Amino acid sequence: MTLTLYNTLTRRKEPFAPIDPGNVRMYVCGPTVYDYAHIGNARPIIVFDVLFRLLRHTYGPEHVTYARNITDVDDKINARSAKAGIDIRTLTEQTTRQFHADIAALGVLSPTVEPRATEHIPEMRRLCEELVTRGHAYVAEGHVLFDVASMPDYGRLANRSLEEMEAGARIEVAPYKKGPMDFVLWKPSKPGEPAWPSPCGIAAPGRPGWHLECSAMSDRWLWQEPQTRGLLSKAGLKQPHVFDIHGGGIDLVFPHHENEIAQSRCAYETAVMANVWMHNGFLQVEGEKMAKSLGKVITINELLQEWPGEAIKLAMLSSHYRQPINWTEHGLTEAKRTLDHWYELTAGTPEGAPLCADVLEALEDDLNTPQAIAALHALRSEAARGARPAAACLKASAYLLGLLQLDAAQWRAWRPATLAITGKKIEALIATRNAARKAKNFKEADRIRDELAAVGIQLEDSKDPATGKIKTTWKAKR
Ligand SMILES: [Zn+2]
């Protein structure tokens, strides 16, 4: 079977044919580093990690280039830095370190390159100049703006006409803009904000717009570098500046990806920026929208205190990537239990077993992870009946989804960093246990002791020498 992927650009599933099978190239929009990454941010990281693994399996690990950027210059960063009283560089570096630590715990592979926006300012300036020269951008009041009217099929990715977008736009139209949908490529920096020498003869220093960053970084790492370093075959050189796959969350389709396309296609005069555009669906928490304003944001870091990274990953992959996902505690509990069982069954199985054809086939069908997981469950049933080859195959196949990467002992040793239970609840359970013991219901008393032990709480009974009564204390075992 060949790999088929749903392409947002054409709105259908298509067989995937890389431009250069010797160097399959993928770009995914990475985080803006101003705060802890939340689970909505984790979804594209996890989804495109599975695709990266599948491409490496299909074309060979050294024949895939995956670029995922770090946006370290942005309005949100400036605002957070001012509010928190931390300088911008310290904030972006701290946040980037935290992001790396969090996603490492999720067990995803590192991308081939992780370009940072602030290290690509010359490329961004050149893009501005190019777009102005070609008549797709103009300078107004210290800004460089993209002239949307200069691109006949602007809106193709979002599948909306310019008129529809203008009617739906609730943006305050700056007087210096020619058209209401024209967007910023470069803008003047306010005092105290990061600033670089401006392009296009603008005297005042400024900074790039967000959309421009991805156009500059993707071209540098997926076209210029591979080309100059001879990493592309003749086939790869046939479509200059175009790469294979561009991914991100569905919320990025408009305006971010539409504008990336406008910039890149108009600067390089190409028919497409990337051949395949992939978008993961929204994420809800317990049936509701996750929004900072509602105080409902769950960070990856918070979750990792209570759950192993692979459980988070399995819970995430249990929904198809294009479907909205409803994130629940129940889903995580199930995922953890499943992995406990899989680890137990696959302990000590030999490495290098063949992959399960059903798992591979499911993933090749537009990354159908729920079906791949169902195939893994089928293997588990076989393995549970004592079939060692099935257990070895389960381990090898789960690895393609980035699961069962630890050894069984490591998995068993995992403990939550913060207690999944409050002190109040522990005291209440101790009281219930003491009452049970008084009533000589030792079975119930032991059950409560075991329940607490399962969440890392150890009870110690001692006789109070003064009163002769049994006193129970508890401590958390890490
Ligand atoms: Zn982007």
Side-chain angles (χ1 to χ4, degrees):
M1 193 170 159
T2 51
L3 174 60
T4 60
L5 297 171
Y6 182 86
N7 188 352
T8 310
L9 202 54
T10 55
R11 287 172 174 77
R12 57 189 159 95
K13 270 205 261 185
E14 294 167 346
F16 176 65
I19 299 167
D20 181 2
N23 194 346
V24 181
R25 289 159 290 153
M26 168 165 85
Y27 185 89
V28 174
C29 296
T32 300
V33 284
Y34 69 102
D35 203 350
Y36 282 99
H38 57 68
I39 45 172
N41 305 131
R43 197 172 188 195
I45 303 286
I46 290 174
V47 163
F48 292 103
D49 178 63
V50 174
L51 181 58
F52 185 37
R53 285 169 190 269
L54 182 62
L55 293 171
R56 285 162 58 97
H57 170 78
T58 310
Y59 297 95
E62 65 281 19
H63 298 296
V64 185
T65 304
Y66 173 21
R68 188 185 64 216
N69 72 295
I70 297 270
T71 291
D72 59 355
V73 48
D74 186 83
D75 290 344
K76 286 179 189 155
I77 297 171
N78 299 341
R80 174 59 56 94
S81 149
K83 199 177 162 193
I86 312 171
D87 76 83
I88 288 173
R89 204 174 166 88
T90 309
L91 173 69
T92 57
E93 279 180 1
Q94 270 175 2
T95 315
T96 303
R97 262 199 304 278
Q98 184 65 54
F99 170 73
H100 283 152
D102 288 348
I103 65 165
L106 290 177
V108 297
L109 300 172
S110 297
T112 322
V113 278
E114 197 175 41
R116 294 177 190 217
T118 50
E119 288 165 7
H120 297 76
I121 304 290
E123 286 89 338
M124 296 175 204
R125 270 201 298 262
R126 271 202 295 280
L127 257 177
C128 286
E129 306 263 1
E130 194 70 36
L131 287 164
V132 170
T133 307
R134 290 178 189 271
H136 289 291
Y138 56 95
V139 175
E141 293 186 22
H143 296 73
V144 183
L145 293 143
F146 187 89
D147 182 359
V148 164
S150 75
M151 186 186 187
D153 60 350
Y154 180 81
R156 198 174 125 204
L157 183 74
N159 204 18
R160 283 191 282 175
S161 71
L162 193 53
E163 292 74 41
E164 279 171 337
M165 283 188 268
E166 283 176 359
R170 263 187 267 154
I171 43 170
E172 207 174 305
V173 180
Y176 49 82
K177 280 192 187 180
K178 283 199 212 166
M181 299 306 290
D182 291 357
F183 59 88
V184 165
L185 303 174
W186 189 270
K187 60 182 163 188
S189 295
K190 295 189 191 99
E193 286 180 350
W196 291 267
S198 293
C200 310
I202 299 167
R207 59 199 170 98
W210 173 39
H211 315 309
L212 190 70
E213 299 177 8
C214 287
S215 282
M217 288 185 275
S218 58
D219 195 65
R220 160 84 185 271
W221 292 101
L222 299 181
W223 167 250
Q224 292 167 30
E225 285 281 329
Q227 185 208 201
T228 52
R229 292 175 55 211
L231 298 173
L232 293 174
S233 72
K234 269 189 183 163
L237 299 172
K238 268 188 194 154
Q239 287 193 65
H241 301 283
V242 178
F243 53 92
D244 297 296
I245 300 168
H246 192 311
I250 191 137
D251 53 322
L252 297 185
V253 171
F254 188 83
H256 184 54
H257 289 168
E258 195 69 61
N259 292 350
E260 277 188 35
I261 290 175
Q263 296 158 166
S264 295
R265 281 185 51 203
C266 291
Y268 309 125
E269 292 188 351
T270 58
V272 289
M273 176 184 180
N275 283 329
V276 184
W277 286 79
M278 293 177 68
H279 293 98
N280 63 270
F282 285 114
L283 183 140
Q284 289 192 319
V285 174
E286 306 283 352
E288 287 180 56
K289 188 172 184 274
M290 187 171 69
K292 277 218 170 92
S293 54
L294 300 173
K296 273 204 168 78
V297 170
I298 304 176
T299 65
I300 305 173
N301 194 256
E302 260 174 284
L303 275 183
L304 286 167
Q305 311 296 317
E306 287 181 40
W307 302 94
E310 285 192 8
I312 298 171
K313 186 187 275 182
L314 179 58
M316 192 76 85
L317 295 174
S318 298
S319 299
H320 187 259
Y321 80 91
R322 281 196 283 127
Q323 299 302 316
I325 187 170
N326 184 23
W327 190 256
T328 63
E329 185 93 7
H330 176 73
L332 274 167
T333 310
E334 286 293 302
K336 168 77 166 56
R337 195 174 300 150
T338 297
L339 286 166
D340 284 343
H341 198 188
W342 289 0
Y343 267 108
E344 189 187 311
L345 283 170
T346 58
T349 52
E351 302 283 325
L355 290 182
C356 165
D358 291 347
V359 173
L360 196 56
E361 203 169 294
L363 292 180
E364 285 177 339
D365 180 14
D366 192 29
L367 295 189
N368 192 338
T369 53
Q371 202 179 314
I373 293 165
L376 293 173
H377 277 300
L379 279 173
R380 181 226 36 209
S381 306
E382 248 182 89
R385 288 195 296 270
R388 291 300 278 169
C393 182
L394 170 60
K395 189 172 182 171
S397 308
Y399 199 80
L400 202 52
L401 281 91
L403 300 169
L404 303 188
Q405 297 190 85
L406 309 174
D407 64 50
Q410 269 179 304
W411 176 261
R412 275 197 297 270
W414 187 90
R415 291 284 176 277
T418 53
L419 300 169
I421 186 166
T422 60
K424 221 169 150 184
K425 178 95 189 282
I426 298 167
E427 296 297 343
L429 282 168
I430 290 174
T432 313
R433 175 170 170 266
N434 288 344
R437 289 211 303 194
K438 220 170 173 182
K440 304 238 182 295
N441 185 353
F442 296 111
K443 210 176 150 193
E444 172 65 5
D446 287 350
R447 191 198 61 76
I448 294 171
R449 190 197 57 212
D450 293 346
E451 183 187 326
L452 284 167
V455 291
I457 304 297
Q458 205 174 34
L459 299 184
E460 266 167 30
D461 299 319
S462 58
K463 204 177 222 171
D464 187 324
T467 61
K469 277 187 179 171
I470 298 285
K471 207 176 106 197
T472 307
T473 54
W474 61 271
K475 64 177 183 196
K477 252 183 82 181
R478 283 288 303 278

